[in-house]
Structures are given as structure tokens and as C-alpha cells.
Amino acid sequence: MLKYSIKRLLYSAIILVFVMLIIYTLMYVMPGNYVEQKAYELASKPGATKSAAEWLADLKKQYGMDQGLIKGYFTWLRSAVRFEFGDSWKWQKACTQVFTDRIWYSFILNVITMILEIIIAIPLGIHAARKQYSFSDYFTTVFSMVCISMPTFFIATVLKLVFAVKLKWFDLTGMIDPRIHDSLSDFGKFLDVAKHYVLPVITITIISIGGLMRYTRTNMLEVLSSDYIRTARAKGVPERKVIYSHAFRNTLIPLITILGGSLVSLFSGAIITEQLFGLTGIGQASYQSMVVGDIPFTMFYLMFISVLTLVGNLVADLCYAAADPRVRLS
Amino acid sequence: MASYNLNEILKKRALSQKGQEKKEMDLGDTARVKVLSPMQQVFKRFIRNRLAIFGTCTLLFMFVFSFIGPIFYKYSQSETMYKYEGVVSPYSFVQLRKEYTGYTLDPEVTYNRTAVNKTNSNINTMEKAGQTTYAFLASDGKLYILNKEGESIYSLAQADLKKTASFGEGLVLVGTYDGIGKTVKFEREDLGAEFVALAAENCKGNSGEFVFEDVTYTFTKGSAKKSYNIYTEPSEGFNYYGAALDEGFENAATAAAVGEMFEYGGKQYVVTSPDEGSFEAYAVSDPVRFMLYTKFGFDTYATGLPLTDSFKVQALNAVYGGGPFQAERLADTEAYLEEVAEAAVEAQNEHEDVAVGMEEETAPVQTEAATEAPAETGEAAEGGEAEIPADSDFVTDTFTITPSEEHEGVFVITSSTGEKYAELNTLVVRRNNGDDTMDLDLKYAIRGVVEKMMADFSQTETLTYQIPMQTEDGKNKYDEDGNLEYADSEITITRRNDGEYNVQASQQRLLIDKFADPSAAHVLGTDGDGFDVLARIMYGGRISLMVGFVVVILETFLGVIMGGLAGFFGGWVDNLVMRLVDIFYCLPFMPIMIIIGALMDAMRMDVRIRLFVMMAALGVMGWAGIARLVRGQILSLREQEFMVAAEATGLPISRRIFRHLVPNVMPQLIVSATMGLGSTILTESTLSFLGLGVKHPLATWGTMINSVSSAAAMEQYAYIWIPVGLLICFTVIAFNFVGDGLRDAFDPKGKR
């Protein structure tokens, strides 16, 4: 297993090099005057710590934007290996600093949604599979399909309209209520932030719940139609025991696989949701950086996401092997 | 009620069933078993799935709605809607004229400006004193005579003066001593060189006196340098500057008031008073009238007809002078008015053409710049009264001027043909910029209200009257025949000062119909650019579906080629393609699309090119999944007997791939393409919502929601974005249902 992991890691590293080459190319083709203009624009904003010329010089030095594509790419690669990503233009800070400042907001958001997702989706999926072709099965199928098909921004806008504009329970955007936040006690502050998390959490939960629900249902159906379940039923095992002790455990194998894989993506942030609800997580930071052409932070974030994806795949495979002893890693 | 016998019916049914059974086959007949082709089976299974049928119907509706709907719908996606709305703005002012306006009667007379400028105050003094004539000396040594011709008209005449005599207590001017030339200019008789020498000796300082031949002379410093005015004590009675006149003259002069004219011996004289108690009499030559002053304003019966100044003067001259007068008028009034209207209509049309042309090019920035040019020409065409075209033909006509029968204090000018041409009125109504482009009827309507307000001292009154409608740039609107189009408008008249009134009108102006509520004309209302929402939803659907199809076809094409190659050839090809697939799998999809969107923003790419780039990018990013699927299928198919058979019969590779392998992958491909359509539409709408996908003049569902997603607009314009959002949802759901249904139908036993 260790050997397998190391092999996969090396393999992932190679993939990463090529992925980053594609992304670097994308950055490289940005029109030069656009980059310069953005640099001047951002440097002229209040609170700018460096002049535009300094930014551009940094860019050249660290990202090799003035050299050829391949040569420049290796310049970047050299700094990236040393964890030197330079300073973000948009945030006027080191990229890693922005990352550590914001990652926990995104992480918390994703953890809560993931827990909710598991609590809601898995029981519903199992229930639907147990009573295939019943009303609740149809309902679950349709509901999961609706969830999958909803655009994030539409759910977010509807939620905002209902709960923020009409009912005025929550603020439209932001992490805190700026009017009262400072006057609150520590616990009050915590509640204030928690309140602002409600709508984003609901949004992401709705979006992601459908897929897991369908997956659970499909797997449960497959397990329920297998021979050992028939055998168990034939020998008179109570239905409860058949479902929860024989079928459910086997359903868990693929579930653990995908959940294990998505553990890593807890750090990835939710670009659109965070932007729409004004959560200062990593997703919002990256969105705003990408839109203004902040090359250092964008490169950093994309690399981060790519690494997460690769690690996620590896973790999923390892989880699969761990959950199902029949699987042999090779 | 019809009778109903159950037994009979049952009997009949039994009979007919027997007959049928006889006609049909027995139990062992092979034809009894209905054999369905695989496609028929798939179809049968598919239509049994209710959700799939729902999805299919929804999709059919969407296609009809977005591809056929726009053909029959009257608005296009970027057709700006306009409506007339009352815009309250200052429209005109009403003034009861108190100041007199001067018109030059005789342009050849040179006059003293200060004398003429004082006219209004002089008229005031005259009116207070009840005088009809007032004469005064101006610094140019000429006499100006203001004469009241009649109510509201005064004439100003100029006359040359000759000093005849001075009388009263005042000093008599002997002469002026010029200190430089050492000469004396004598006003009366010459006193000789001795006097000059004495004057030269004494005239120093500011003033003083000296004695010459027992007469005391006083002198004061004059206006010119080193010049002194030398006076002497007046002798009793009259000191004549020329030949002495008799007592009759002296009596008349003494009796006459200052500034008053009197006649003596067939000559006109006037008395002035240069100092308290001293008087001077002047002989007056025949006065020449050179200015006319009036409180009247001219209103023409034909709206906006230009009047020449000479016409005005002639008319004013004739008001109290009576009788007909000859004056210039435009040769062909109607032709002129038509010309003006035509020019305006042309400007209007030109503007519209430009606007329409620009719309087709879909470049909003350019539109603004381009519309400015015709706006200027429109202004020139509407100059109204002030400008008289240089090439106009004028003819001389005889006019008569008579007091109006209907209105007091109004004079009507009638042309020789008996047609009412213009009229004079002291209650002047003009547009705010001073133009006279208002209907006479409208003026009278306003005057009526103003007169009532003057009578009862009210501050504000309103009335409703027909006022020309305006185009979007504030010009009057003409119909095709060049007539002004009128609409009832609310007019508010407010008192500003004594005799001055502001008129505010809520003029109907063509405005972009922004955010109109749903109505019969616009079922879902209009959006922030005045576009019809329903039309944009239709066109938006077109683009969204089109994007979906193009992207899915592209990614399927790429996926099948790459997957097919990998699966069929295996070995290093497989390895290479699969590593490429791994790389593309790892690429973060959404961030890359956002970056590409921002990049296209930076390049200011044309909206249509943008659309293509976006479709290409989505396709390139999405092929990896399909390639993996195709490869997997082909790997397993490759080992099956039929492929061995195909190879054994010596079929060429291309035929083996495209005739034997790919058709077997088709079911999976169709399913994944259907699902892919849904997710592509979702991605496209998300990007458009973020403003990074399809851009403004082109409508897509995402952009439409984006345009009203601000906190304020969200609630107010829910009728725009909720239907659009639901359409996105329903389309994606439908694609997913159909995809699901197809999957079940193709492979009923398989993993769901």
C-alpha cells in the first residue's frame, strides 16, 4: 500500500506539472498591456504597498513572464517548489498569507454542508431504494434531480429574496453585521457569524445533496438485488437486520470512497456561493483575484485546487481499498 | 333517457369476441408473439417512464418556445421599447409686458445711446405725470422727443437744436477760454482781444472772477484741459444768442414748462433748464422719428412664422397711424412652414435610422456618439421664429391693422387677402428659450388662465391642453405628413412676480420603457434597457440551447475520437490519451472558465466571437469524461466475438471502429450527451450570470437574472428573474430526466 501510494504520488506530481503548464499558458497569453494596466490600477488603489513597476518586476522575476513560455514556466516552477508564490496584487499580501487568512472560513462552510449532506442524503437514498417505485422513491428521485439541476445563483437569489429581503431574517451579504458586531460579546459574535452562514450552507447543501442521494440509492438498489441479500431473506433474517446490517454496510463501501475523496475538497472553497453571499473565504478571494487578473494569486489558487483534486483521487482509492478488503491496489 | 340493457350488451360483446378469436390465431401460432426490434423495445421502455415523458414534453416546449417562438413574436431581443410619459419641465413663461421694446424706424439716424437707453424710465416718468410728449436734451446737443402714439406705443424722435435765448436767474455763458491756444470762443458777441488777454491772465485755479469794462465775469474750470467757462451775471429778461425776438416769444417761453414744446412764429421751441432757476430756449428743427417703443408682442396665426423687423415696425407704426401699411411677408407661408416641418421630420427619421443601424451592429458605446450628430441638425431645423432663412422669398403685401373684436387691447393684422396674419398683444407668451413656437390657441388658453389669475390673485392654476409630443431627445415629434403630434398634457401656471407667470407642462415625451410592469403588450414587462422580457427569454433560450448542443457535439466528437483511439489501439496510444485525460480531469473547470471570461473581457472581444470562444472552451474542457467512457466500452467490446469475426473477415480498421464499435457505444454516448446538455446549460448560465459568459446585447437566461440581481431590483423585478430561473431549472431537469429515462431504456438491468 505504501509503495502504491508513493507511486501514485509521483504520478500525480507529473500530472500536476502538466496541469500547471496549461494554466501557466493561460496566464501567459494574457495581453501584456492588460497585465500592466491591471498592475497600475491595483497599485494606485489606497493601501497599495508596492508600485506597479515593483509588481511587474516581481512578476517577471518569479513568474518568468518576460521569458519564453517553457523557460518562464520552469522559472515559476522553481519558485513554486520553494513555496514562493509572491504577493497577491488584489490583496496586497503574500498569497500564502491570504490563503491562511481565509481558508478556515471556507473549511467551516464546507464541513457544515458535508455533515448536513450526509445526514440528509444517505438516509433518504436508502429509504428510496428500500421502497423502489413507491411514492417516496419517486419523490426522492425527482427531488435529487431538481437539486442537481438548480443553478447555484438561482437558489442563492431565491433564498436571498425570501429570507433576506422579504422576511429580513438574514443579511443579504457579508460575514458579520457591521452595525452591531463590535458591541457583541464573544459568544454573540460567534452567533452573528453563524447567522450569516445559514443561507450559504443551505445553498451548497441543496446543490450537493442530489448527487449523493442518487448515488446512495443506486448503490443500495444494487446491493439489495444481490444474491447474498436474497439468501439472507430466504433464511428468514428479519428485514431490519437485512437492510441495516447486511445491505447498508455494503452500500457504505462506495460511499466511503467518494466521501473520502471529497474530504480534501473541504478546503477548496465554494467560488460562486461565497461570492454571492459575500463570505470572505478562499473561494471569494480567488474569484475576485481571477476577475481582476491577479496572476500570482490565481496561479497559487489553481495550483492548490489541482493538488487537492489529485490528492482527493488518491485518498478515494485508498479509502476504497481500506473499506473493501477484496480490492487490491496495484 | 336511453334504455340500457346490460344483458344485451354483454351478449354482443361475447359474440364479437368469439368472432375475433376465430379470425385470429390459436395458441401455438408463432405470430402471436409480437417481436419488437431493439429500438422499438427501447422506445417502449422509454415511454413507460413518466419522468422521461415529462422531460421530453418540457424539452419539446422549450424548443418550440425558443426556436419557433421568436419567429412569431413581434419583438426582437434587442429592440428597445419606448413609451410616452409626461415629463414635467418648464415649458413657457407669460409676461404682462411693462418694459418697452424698441424697434428702429429710421436706421439712418445716428443717435446718442444714453438718450435712447433711458427711454423706458422716461416713459415711466411720462406715464406718472400723464404727459403725452417729453423732450430732453442729450449730450450730443440734440433734442429727443418721446411721443405717445397710443396705448402701449411710443415713438422717439430726434431734432436738431439752435440756442435762441437764455433767461431766468442763471449765469449766462459768455464763452470758453482755451488755456492752450489762449483764445476765447465766444458764445454771444465778441468782446475783443483785450478780454481774451484779461481772461488769459486771470483764468487760473478752479474758479474765480475778474472785471472787464465794469462787468464782473466769473469763470469755472471746464471739462477740457486748461479750459474755463466764463459766465457773466444775466441781465434782466432774455439774453438772445441771435437776433432778438419780441415779447410774445418771451411770454410763451416763460409760460412753457421745462421740456415742453411751444410754438412761436411758425417755429417750434423748447425750454430746458440747465440749472435751478435758469432756463434756455432752443429753436427746434423738424423732429425725425427714428425709434418706436412698444409693449406689444407679435403672435402669428400660423405657428412659428418668422416676422421681419421691418414688418414689425411698419405694423407698429400703423397701429395708431391707422390705415393699411405695406410690409414684407414671406412669399409662401405654407411652403415655408412645410419646409420647416419636413426638415424636422427628416432629422427625426435620420435619427431613427441611425439608431436602428447601430442596433444591428450591436455596439452600445458607438450608438451614443452617433446619435449626437443628428440631434444637432434637429435643433437647427427647429430654430423657430428667431431665424429667417436667407433664401426665403419675401413679397410686399398690404396689411390692415384693426383692434380685435374678441380681446381687448389686442390688434389684429390682416393681409390683403383678408386672412388673419398676426396680432399684437401685451400679454406675451413665449417658450422658455424665448422662441415663439406655440400655437395661438394654446397661447390664448394660457392667457385666459393668466388673466383669471391676475384678477383673483391666485398663485397656481392648472389646465389641460394639447401640447406637441416629444421624441426621446426632446425634439417635437412629427408624424409622416410633417404634422406635429399632440397629446393632452397637464399644464401648471405659477405666479412668479407681478405680471410674470411660469408655465410648467408635463409634456409627453418618448422615453425608453424601462422596467415596465407586465401588460398586454409586454406579457412579462420590459427590462432595464427597455427590451421586452418575453422576447429576451425566447432568444435567451435559443442561445442557451444552442450553446448546449454545440458544446456537447464538440466534446462528444473529441471524446469519441480520443477514446476510440485509446481503446482500439491500446498500448502507448492508450497510455498517452489516458494521461491527457487525467490532466484534463484535474484542471479546475469553473476557475478556468472564469479566467477565460475575464481574459475575454480584457481583450474587449466582440460578443459573438466571445460566444464561440466560450463554446470552444467548454467543449475542450469537457471531452475527458466522454473519452474515458468510450475507451472503457471499446476495451470490453474489442474482446467480443463479433469483433474477432470482423477482424477475421479482413475489414479495414476505420470500418471496424466506426461501423462496429461506435454504434455499440452509441447508447452510452446518447445518455451522457443528454446529461451533458443539462450541465452545459447550467455552466453557461452561471458564467453569464457572473458576467463572464455571453454579453449584453445577446440575451441569455443567465445575463437576464444577473441584470436584476441587485438587492433593490431583486424584489421589485421578481417577475423578470423568477420565470427565467425556473426556465433554466426546467430545461436542465428535463434533460436529466430524458437522459435518465434513456439510460434505463437502453440498459434496463444495468446499474442505475
Side-chain angles (χ1 to χ4, degrees):
Chain A
M1 193 151 179
L2 182 71
K3 197 179 157 200
Y4 173 78
S5 306
I6 291 169
K7 201 175 145 200
R8 276 290 299 269
L9 274 176
L10 285 175
Y11 171 69
S12 298
I14 294 166
I15 298 259
L16 184 67
V17 167
F18 284 100
V19 166
M20 288 321 290
L21 178 61
I22 291 179
I23 293 170
Y24 183 84
T25 313
L26 208 59
M27 295 287 145
Y28 194 81
V29 297
M30 271 196 189
N33 54 358
Y34 169 71
V35 176
E36 267 174 40
Q37 180 208 329
K38 282 290 170 196
Y40 280 109
E41 218 171 84
L42 289 166
S44 63
K45 276 189 181 155
T49 49
K50 288 188 202 175
S51 73
E54 280 175 292
W55 285 120
L56 290 171
D58 280 4
L59 197 67
K60 279 182 183 162
K61 192 179 140 227
Q62 231 158 15
Y63 288 73
M65 288 286 178
D66 54 339
Q67 303 158 15
L69 177 65
I70 301 296
K71 216 177 156 197
Y73 177 61
F74 281 104
T75 316
W76 173 80
L77 207 57
R78 260 197 299 280
S79 5
V81 167
R82 280 184 244 122
F83 282 96
E84 286 167 10
F85 296 97
D87 291 356
S88 160
W89 296 3
K90 163 84 184 164
W91 308 103
Q92 309 279 348
K93 271 191 248 176
C95 291
T96 42
Q97 183 63 39
V98 178
F99 173 76
T100 44
D101 284 353
R102 289 167 169 258
I103 187 68
W104 298 111
Y105 296 117
S106 294
F107 180 71
I108 291 166
L109 177 70
N110 283 339
V111 165
I112 300 171
T113 22
M114 192 162 176
I115 293 169
L116 278 178
E117 200 185 312
I118 292 169
I119 293 175
I120 298 169
I122 293 180
L124 275 180
I126 287 173
H127 186 75
R130 273 180 67 192
K131 306 193 170 159
Q132 201 185 2
Y133 303 127
S134 70
F135 170 77
S136 60
D137 181 31
Y138 265 108
F139 175 79
T140 315
T141 314
V142 173
F143 178 66
S144 60
M145 199 58 103
V146 170
C147 289
I148 294 173
S149 311
M150 290 265 250
T152 319
F153 63 90
F154 183 60
I155 299 177
T157 321
V158 169
L159 287 176
K160 276 183 182 181
L161 176 70
V162 175
F163 294 105
V165 179
K166 292 270 184 204
L167 298 175
K168 297 201 189 317
W169 289 355
F170 305 106
D171 287 350
L172 268 177
T173 55
M175 292 282 285
I176 50 166
D177 191 340
R179 286 163 301 178
I180 55 163
H181 189 75
D182 287 339
S183 59
L184 292 172
S185 62
D186 282 350
F187 185 65
K189 278 181 182 164
F190 169 74
L191 282 184
D192 187 33
V193 173
K195 197 176 139 191
H196 287 84
Y197 262 96
V198 172
L199 290 184
V201 164
I202 295 178
T203 308
I204 305 182
T205 310
I206 290 178
I207 304 264
S208 50
I209 208 174
L212 188 62
M213 207 148 46
R214 277 168 64 86
Y215 196 73
T216 314
R217 177 177 173 273
T218 313
N219 281 306
M220 190 72 181
L221 276 179
E222 201 196 342
V223 171
L224 282 177
S225 64
S226 54
D227 293 342
Y228 59 88
I229 297 292
R230 203 179 316 142
T231 313
R233 281 182 177 149
K235 73 177 187 182
V237 177
E239 183 65 15
R240 265 185 90 77
K241 206 173 172 194
V242 172
I243 300 292
Y244 291 104
S245 138
H246 294 280
F248 180 60
R249 283 195 190 175
N250 280 297
T251 316
L252 276 180
I253 297 173
L255 285 183
I256 285 173
T257 310
I258 63 156
L259 290 179
S262 56
L263 265 181
V264 188
S265 67
L266 290 178
F267 291 94
S268 68
I271 296 178
I272 293 158
T273 317
E274 283 179 21
Q275 169 64 19
L276 289 180
F277 286 101
L279 297 188
T280 52
I282 191 84
Q284 190 209 32
S286 65
Y287 176 78
Q288 294 181 359
S289 299
M290 286 187 275
V291 169
V292 299
D294 171 1
I295 293 176
F297 193 77
T298 308
M299 286 290 282
F300 169 75
Y301 178 72
L302 290 182
M303 175 166 167
F304 173 65
I305 293 288
S306 307
V307 169
L308 282 189
T309 316
L310 289 168
V311 175
N313 287 345
L314 176 60
V315 172
D317 286 355
L318 295 179
C319 280
Y320 194 45
D324 191 347
R326 290 169 301 178
V327 175
R328 268 202 222 146
L329 298 171
S330 60
Chain B
M1 237 178 106
S3 64
Y4 187 82
N5 192 330
L6 187 66
N7 282 337
E8 243 172 68
I9 287 168
L10 281 178
K11 241 185 241 169
K12 262 187 205 166
R13 190 180 287 174
L15 269 176
S16 66
Q17 275 176 354
K18 257 180 210 165
Q20 268 184 353
E21 265 174 12
K22 264 183 191 168
K23 255 184 260 162
E24 283 197 1
M25 57 226 81
D26 55 83
L27 204 66
D29 200 332
T30 42
R32 233 184 117 258
V33 182
K34 219 178 184 178
V35 181
L36 294 174
S37 75
M39 274 326 287
Q40 278 173 320
Q41 285 180 6
V42 166
F43 179 72
K44 204 173 157 190
R45 283 197 292 265
F46 182 76
I47 57 168
R48 259 194 230 137
N49 187 336
R50 271 183 249 164
L51 292 178
I53 291 301
F54 165 77
T56 316
C57 291
T58 316
L59 285 185
L60 276 178
F61 169 75
M62 290 299 168
F63 277 99
V64 170
F65 177 73
S66 33
F67 284 92
I68 302 180
I71 301 173
F72 295 103
Y73 196 60
K74 52 193 167 185
Y75 305 118
S76 83
Q77 59 172 325
S78 49
E79 184 181 343
T80 316
M81 299 300 146
Y82 291 94
K83 65 166 173 194
Y84 283 97
E85 201 178 340
V87 177
V88 178
S89 57
Y91 187 72
S92 59
F93 65 91
V94 183
Q95 194 183 23
L96 183 60
R97 284 254 176 108
K98 290 207 187 71
E99 299 282 302
Y100 283 76
T101 321
Y103 291 95
T104 311
L105 189 60
D106 188 346
E108 281 168 21
V109 174
T110 49
Y111 52 81
N112 181 307
R113 217 155 263 287
T114 36
V116 170
N117 288 348
K118 279 195 299 189
T119 307
N120 263 308
S121 62
N122 288 338
I123 291 176
N124 255 339
T125 337
M126 282 171 73
E127 276 175 350
K128 269 179 200 150
Q131 288 172 311
T132 54
T133 320
Y134 175 76
F136 60 94
L137 252 171
S139 54
D140 60 349
K142 285 180 178 166
L143 185 73
Y144 288 84
I145 305 157
L146 257 177
N147 190 32
K148 185 174 183 177
E149 303 277 320
E151 194 56 51
S152 307
I153 299 183
Y154 283 81
S155 68
L156 184 62
Q158 191 191 47
D160 289 327
L161 288 181
K162 193 162 173 286
K163 206 175 198 175
T164 318
S166 62
F167 59 98
E169 297 163 3
L171 296 167
V172 177
L173 183 63
V174 176
T176 317
Y177 168 71
D178 179 9
I180 297 164
K182 296 205 189 304
T183 52
V184 173
K185 187 178 166 246
F186 291 101
E187 292 285 327
R188 303 170 68 195
E189 78 252 55
D190 197 332
L191 294 174
E194 269 179 66
F195 179 82
V196 177
L198 197 66
E201 191 180 306
N202 287 296
C203 286
K204 276 165 196 153
N206 279 333
S207 60
E209 54 182 54
F210 60 92
V211 179
F212 176 72
E213 289 175 1
D214 297 335
V215 183
T216 311
Y217 295 90
T218 55
F219 60 90
T220 54
K221 206 164 181 181
S223 52
K225 200 180 177 189
K226 285 198 170 181
S227 84
Y228 293 88
N229 297 329
I230 303 167
Y231 302 92
T232 179
E233 287 291 323
S235 54
E236 280 298 306
F238 278 72
N239 300 301
Y240 287 101
Y241 291 89
L245 290 166
D246 63 10
E247 208 167 314
F249 170 80
E250 286 174 13
N251 290 340
T254 331
V258 170
E260 204 180 311
M261 312 259 291
F262 64 93
E263 201 185 324
Y264 175 76
K267 271 189 172 177
Q268 291 282 337
Y269 292 92
V270 71
V271 175
T272 60
S273 166
D275 255 320
E276 185 75 26
S278 97
F279 302 96
E280 282 169 351
Y282 291 90
V284 180
S285 65
D286 278 342
V288 185
R289 294 200 309 163
F290 69 102
M291 292 283 279
L292 278 177
Y293 284 88
T294 183
K295 287 205 284 190
F296 284 122
F298 285 84
D299 290 325
T300 52
Y301 277 84
T303 311
L305 196 65
L307 295 177
T308 57
D309 276 348
S310 72
F311 174 89
K312 290 180 183 173
V313 169
Q314 296 297 334
L316 289 171
N317 203 13
V319 172
Y320 296 110
F325 65 95
Q326 303 250 314
E328 286 183 320
R329 61 172 287 186
L330 276 171
D332 194 345
T333 324
E334 274 172 27
Y336 167 76
L337 290 174
E338 257 169 40
E339 210 171 280
V340 170
E342 260 167 37
V345 170
E346 208 168 281
Q348 182 175 318
N349 291 342
E350 198 178 310
H351 182 166
E352 274 165 20
D353 288 348
V354 168
V356 168
M358 279 300 146
E359 217 164 79
E360 278 160 12
E361 278 172 35
T362 60
V365 184
Q366 285 175 13
T367 318
E368 275 169 38
T371 45
E372 267 168 36
E376 278 163 28
T377 55
E379 230 163 74
E382 234 209 3
E385 188 221 18
E387 286 166 40
I388 299 168
D391 56 343
S392 309
D393 285 333
F394 284 92
V395 288
T396 313
D397 197 0
T398 312
F399 296 92
T400 49
I401 187 156
T402 47
S404 168
E405 287 152 16
E406 297 143 43
H407 306 283
E408 208 183 320
V410 177
F411 290 89
V412 180
I413 302 169
T414 320
S415 71
S416 58
T417 53
E419 148 200 33
K420 284 181 178 177
Y421 190 72
E423 64 174 41
L424 300 173
N425 201 325
T426 48
L427 194 57
V428 179
V429 186
R430 287 287 182 269
R431 288 300 303 273
N432 262 27
N433 55 3
D435 279 359
D436 179 19
T437 51
M438 290 164 70
D439 257 14
L440 199 61
D441 291 342
L442 173 61
K443 286 181 187 169
Y444 269 110
I446 293 174
R447 269 180 201 143
V449 177
V450 167
E451 273 160 16
K452 198 175 135 260
M453 287 169 75
M454 283 177 175
D456 57 16
F457 298 105
S458 57
Q459 289 294 324
T460 320
E461 289 284 338
T462 54
L463 77 152
T464 306
Y465 206 82
Q466 299 245 307
I467 286 185
M469 301 201 282
Q470 285 186 320
T471 57
E472 64 207 284
D473 47 0
K475 307 272 168 285
N476 283 349
K477 185 171 180 290
Y478 293 86
D479 63 9
E480 293 119 20
D481 306 329
N483 297 322
L484 281 170
E485 286 180 38
Y486 291 91
D488 272 340
S489 313
E490 182 104 330
I491 299 172
T492 314
I493 304 174
T494 327
R495 185 166 177 260
R496 184 171 66 183
N497 274 326
D498 189 31
E500 282 179 24
Y501 295 84
N502 282 337
V503 180
Q504 281 210 319
S506 112
Q507 203 167 5
Q508 295 291 311
R509 184 183 287 184
L510 192 65
L511 294 175
I512 294 180
D513 195 4
K514 279 184 195 168
F515 293 122
D517 286 339
S519 61
H522 306 292
V523 179
L524 288 173
T526 58
D527 66 5
D529 297 301
F531 298 148
D532 183 87
V533 172
L534 186 58
R536 280 184 82 76
I537 293 181
M538 286 176 178
Y539 282 93
R542 233 181 217 197
I543 289 183
S544 292
L545 290 173
M546 215 175 65
V547 168
F549 274 101
V550 172
V551 169
V552 163
I553 288 171
L554 183 65
E555 66 186 26
T556 310
F557 177 77
L558 283 174
V560 168
I561 300 276
M562 302 298 261
L565 287 176
F568 189 82
F569 292 108
W572 68 269
V573 181
D574 183 27
N575 228 332
L576 183 76
V577 173
M578 280 306 107
R579 296 301 78 81
L580 212 55
V581 166
D582 281 339
I583 290 171
F584 272 86
Y585 247 73
C586 183
L587 275 180
F589 178 66
M590 207 61 196
I592 288 206
M593 289 314 297
I594 291 174
I595 291 171
I596 291 177
L599 202 61
M600 288 193 288
D601 269 354
M603 291 172 166
R604 299 178 191 284
M605 216 176 255
D606 181 78
V607 274
R608 281 171 206 280
I609 298 174
R610 220 190 140 98
L611 183 62
F612 291 126
V613 172
M614 194 183 74
M615 291 195 288
L618 284 171
V620 170
M621 294 294 292
W623 64 271
I626 291 174
R628 196 173 260 189
L629 181 140
V630 170
R631 171 185 173 264
Q633 282 295 314
I634 286 182
L635 274 183
S636 70
L637 285 172
R638 204 171 62 163
E639 308 303 326
Q640 290 189 10
E641 282 91 350
F642 74 92
M643 282 316 293
V644 180
E647 201 172 349
T649 46
L651 290 177
I653 291 174
S654 64
R655 197 171 163 80
R656 268 187 277 156
I657 294 182
F658 292 108
R659 290 300 299 271
H660 295 274
L661 284 178
V662 171
N664 277 299
V665 193
M666 264 336 243
Q668 282 85 353
L669 273 185
I670 291 173
V671 170
S672 86
T674 320
M675 302 291 235
L677 272 169
S679 63
T680 307
I681 289 173
L682 213 55
T683 315
E684 182 273 328
S685 62
T686 307
L687 282 174
S688 298
F689 173 78
L690 294 173
L692 298 166
V694 181
K695 283 278 184 179
H696 170 66
L698 295 179
T700 74
W701 291 339
T703 352
M704 293 183 68
I705 296 187
N706 177 40
S707 65
V708 286
S709 65
S710 69
M714 187 195 291
E715 189 182 10
Q716 211 172 348
Y717 307 117
Y719 61 86
I720 294 179
W721 65 265
I722 289 187
V724 178
L726 288 179
L727 276 181
I728 300 177
C729 290
F730 272 108
T731 313
V732 180
I733 290 172
F735 274 121
N736 284 341
F737 277 157
V738 170
D740 242 19
L742 282 174
R743 192 202 330 247
D744 290 353
F746 279 131
D747 185 12
K749 285 184 204 147
K751 230 176 150 187
R752 303 185 105 221

